[in-house]
Amino acid sequence: AALANLDLFERGKVLPRVNRLAAQLDARLTPLWKLPWVGDVRRVGLMAGIELVKDWRTREPFSWKARVGVRVCDEARRHGVLMRPIGNVLVIMPPYCVTESHLDRIVTALERGIRAVCCGASASRRVLPKIPIAIPRANLRPFSAKARQSGRR
């Protein structure tokens, strides 16, 4: 099975595509450095971690009780993007089938979430317009209703 997967990677030219998408993700994440609450942006391939801090000059972290990472992820979810925090580090790990428009949507929702949460509580209640993408929202669910009923994924 492992050899078959490697064969699929070769025939499908997955790695050149992932490298191109990783470069696009890097370009989209670079402007986040300008936000005063971003202390670090780390990326390897399509995996990225964005560290949120109170002050980027001193890298003073937000308190754990403030749950800033969780609140930013909740805000991103309101814009149609699921992500997870590890403390105050926001983790991006899209699947290899991700498209350029998905990466744009992910980073835009992330930036909106950071601005809404870190600018104050009143801003976090404001819902910003959704970003349109090419695939229907129903395809983003892990299980369809029909598959759930039949017990298949």
Side-chain angles (χ1 to χ4, degrees), residues 1-12:
L3 292 176
N5 278 330
L6 291 175
D7 188 45
L8 284 174
F9 266 67
E10 244 178 57
R11 281 187 290 139

Side-chain angles (χ1 to χ4, degrees), residues 71-136:
R71 291 172 38 217
V72 169
C73 289
D74 287 344
E75 189 67 28
R77 188 176 322 129
R78 293 175 69 191
H79 298 289
V81 173
L82 294 175
M83 55 183 23
R84 70 182 180 118
I86 298 177
N88 290 325
V89 177
L90 307 172
V91 178
I92 299 174
M93 287 181 56
Y96 285 156
C97 62
V98 72
T99 65
E100 292 176 6
S101 64
H102 292 145
L103 290 178
D104 289 341
R105 181 176 184 165
I106 289 167
V107 176
T108 300
L110 174 68
E111 181 178 358
R112 288 176 176 180
I114 292 170
R115 288 181 186 278
V117 170
C118 296
C119 282
S122 62
S124 68
R125 292 182 186 13
R126 198 176 76 226
V127 177
L128 299 171
K130 301 267 184 197
I131 304 163
I133 62 169
I135 62 173

Side-chain angles (χ1 to χ4, degrees), residues 5 15 50 119 121 136-137 150:
N5 278 330
L15 294 180
I50 297 89
C119 282
R137 193 174 179 101
S150 68

